[in-house]
Amino acid sequence: MKKIVLTLAVITALIAGSLFGVTTIAAEPVDISEAVITTKYEEYTYTGEEIQPAVIVKLSNTKLTRDTDFTVSYTDNVNVGTATITVSGIGGYTGNASKTFKVKARSVTDKSFKVTVKSGTRAGSQPQFSVTYNDKALVNDKDYTYTVSGNNKAGYKTGKLKIKGKGNFCDNDIVEFNVYPTKVTGIKAKNVKQNSLDLTWNSKSSENVSGYRVYKADNASGKNLKLLKAVGTNSVSLDDVDSATKYYFFVVAYKTNDGKTVTGDRSNAYITCTKPKQVQLNYVVKKNGNKIYANWESVYNPSGYQIKYSLDRKMKKGVKTVKAKASKNGKTIQVPDNGYAYFVKVRAYKNYTKNGKKKTVYGPWSVKMSSIFGRVYKR
């Protein structure tokens, strides 16, 4: 048709030129408003970028050529909705023709749609997560909404994050995540003796934990952490500890399900100190110069020894005390008159620091001995 129109135009121009002396007349552009535009698909899925389908344009069964016979433009072709293709005639064509196509939402289950839950969600807290499409961050309440469930109980994959597409995204997806027990608090020591003690702490039963692991370490930072026991309740008895020793204890809650275990954060260090062993007092004797001398067997790891003495057999009146270094196993004591019988007891003590405060624990007193009958009198 295009060739016929152009031929008629040329003939008309020749006739006009011969009659009126005009040499050329330009051909009239052809209107393409009735052109038929086709695309490969009628619907395209949201990509986050402009969607520009290739077009085929025909006018009266004649296929036109892009950028020779027409140009193409697109509008509303990014977000979900109806996009428009407009072709505009150029060269021997004029006018416009248009066609629409649909931009449909992309499923949140698409492999390019990613939900990443940050590790470390604690029982009772909300998970930290990010949602991206093609590595571009998406916006809550614009691109998606979410709900969280199963995050109040500790466990492997017990948390559920449900993502529901919105706007340019559709469908639902559920991401499972680990829920970790919260940090153990409220640790206390009870019945602290020379070689045993009990620890208790606040229960995590509301978080459905399976149990607790009790550790000791060399310092409050957890150096040389060593597991002592695993228990199912919020208490433990330790009967294999050293006397006169400062301990740093830690407790960790854990949950085991589906053959997997998740553990909570390590508690803050709980510091305590066991008592020194009971001192064995060997003898108490008089010495020249109004002095008495007490001798005992050394015990393990004390900071020193405390000696108390009195003229009172019951050691309730006029009691005085002195100290001896840890390296000593005897002490000479100046008294007003060693002609009287002095009664003596000895115990070991241990100094330690807890939370910046100095503390002292004492072992039990030795048996009582007399300075006159020191080698035979023990009560």
Side-chain angles (χ1 to χ4, degrees):
M1 182 63 185
K2 175 182 175 183
K3 292 181 179 180
I4 295 172
V5 172
L6 290 175
T7 303
L8 291 174
V10 172
I11 295 171
T12 303
L14 290 173
I15 295 172
S18 63
L19 294 175
F20 304 104
V22 179
T23 57
T24 59
I25 294 179
E28 288 291 329
V30 179
D31 185 13
I32 64 169
S33 60
E34 298 299 322
V36 176
I37 305 171
T38 57
T39 54
K40 186 175 182 179
Y41 304 109
E42 293 298 314
E43 288 186 340
Y44 293 85
T45 303
Y46 171 81
T47 65
E49 307 291 339
E50 287 193 49
I51 299 174
Q52 298 180 337
V55 296
I56 296 174
V57 180
K58 290 184 177 181
L59 182 62
S60 299
N61 293 324
T62 298
K63 183 178 180 181
L64 305 187
T65 302
R66 182 172 180 171
D67 295 330
T68 298
D69 301 323
F70 65 90
T71 59
V72 183
S73 62
Y74 302 84
T75 55
D76 300 324
N77 60 326
V78 176
N79 296 316
V80 168
T82 301
T84 301
I85 303 171
T86 301
V87 297
S88 301
I90 58 174
Y93 296 90
T94 189
N96 302 302
S98 63
K99 173 185 173 55
T100 60
F101 65 91
K102 298 291 184 181
V103 178
K104 64 179 183 179
R106 183 170 291 275
S107 175
V108 297
T109 61
D110 186 277
K111 63 181 181 180
S112 297
F113 189 99
K114 294 182 179 180
V115 180
T116 304
V117 179
K118 185 178 179 180
S119 178
T121 301
R122 301 297 182 261
S125 65
Q126 292 290 309
Q128 300 294 313
F129 65 94
S130 62
V131 182
T132 61
Y133 172 67
N134 281 337
D135 298 325
K136 181 180 179 181
L138 301 183
V139 180
N140 180 35
D141 285 334
K142 176 186 175 184
D143 301 312
Y144 65 91
T145 59
Y146 74 93
T147 56
V148 179
S149 62
N151 58 319
N152 290 322
K153 306 291 184 181
Y156 175 78
K157 301 294 185 184
T158 56
K160 304 291 189 294
L161 174 64
K162 182 178 180 180
I163 300 293
K164 183 178 181 180
K166 184 177 181 180
N168 292 316
F169 299 93
C170 63
D171 300 332
N172 302 318
D173 194 18
I174 295 178
V175 178
E176 297 179 334
F177 59 93
N178 296 338
V179 180
Y180 297 85
T182 56
K183 181 186 290 188
V184 170
T185 59
I187 303 175
K188 295 179 181 179
K190 296 182 179 180
N191 303 319
V192 180
K193 299 178 182 180
Q194 289 81 29
N195 295 109
S196 65
L197 58 86
D198 298 331
L199 294 176
T200 64
W201 51 86
N202 296 332
S203 173
K204 296 291 179 184
S205 59
S206 62
E207 298 175 15
N208 199 32
V209 300
S210 300
Y212 308 86
R213 292 171 180 159
V214 182
Y215 299 84
K216 71 173 183 177
D218 292 344
N219 59 27
S221 298
K223 182 181 178 181
N224 296 327
L225 197 69
K226 180 182 179 181
L227 176 65
L228 298 178
K229 280 188 177 182
V231 293
T233 61
N234 60 317
S235 65
V236 66
S237 293
L238 301 174
D239 54 9
D240 189 24
V241 291
D242 293 326
S243 61
T245 301
K246 180 180 180 180
Y247 280 96
Y248 299 87
F249 292 113
F250 300 85
V251 182
V252 176
Y254 69 91
K255 172 65 179 180
T256 300
N257 62 289
D258 298 332
K260 303 288 186 179
T261 298
V262 293
T263 57
D265 289 333
R266 193 173 64 201
S267 70
N268 294 335
Y270 178 78
I271 301 172
T272 191
C273 186
T274 52
K275 295 179 179 180
K277 291 279 192 179
Q278 185 177 27
V279 174
Q280 178 182 321
L281 184 57
N282 293 325
Y283 58 86
V284 179
V285 296
K286 295 189 296 181
K287 295 186 71 173
N288 294 333
N290 290 330
K291 297 176 182 177
I292 60 174
Y293 174 77
N295 179 270
W296 58 85
E297 295 292 331
S298 298
V299 297
Y300 174 74
N301 200 34
S303 298
Y305 298 91
Q306 185 183 48
I307 305 98
K308 73 175 180 178
Y309 60 98
S310 173
L311 292 172
D312 179 18
R313 181 187 296 271
K314 294 183 179 180
M315 302 194 78
K316 293 183 177 180
K317 298 178 181 180
V319 177
K320 294 183 179 180
T321 60
V322 293
K323 289 184 177 181
K325 293 181 179 180
S327 59
K328 303 297 183 180
N329 68 336
K331 179 72 174 180
T332 299
I333 306 169
Q334 185 74 47
V335 295
D337 187 349
N338 66 359
Y340 296 96
Y342 279 88
F343 297 93
V344 178
K345 287 184 177 182
V346 182
R347 66 179 178 180
Y349 65 89
K350 180 69 175 180
N351 297 325
Y352 71 103
T353 302
K354 180 177 181 178
N355 301 326
K357 296 181 180 180
K358 293 182 179 180
K359 293 181 175 291
T360 302
V361 291
Y362 296 90
W365 286 107
S366 70
V367 297
K368 180 173 59 179
M369 299 188 74
S370 166
S371 61
I372 293 180
F373 306 104
R375 292 184 183 275
V376 296
Y377 184 90
K378 295 185 180 182
R379 291 186 62 181

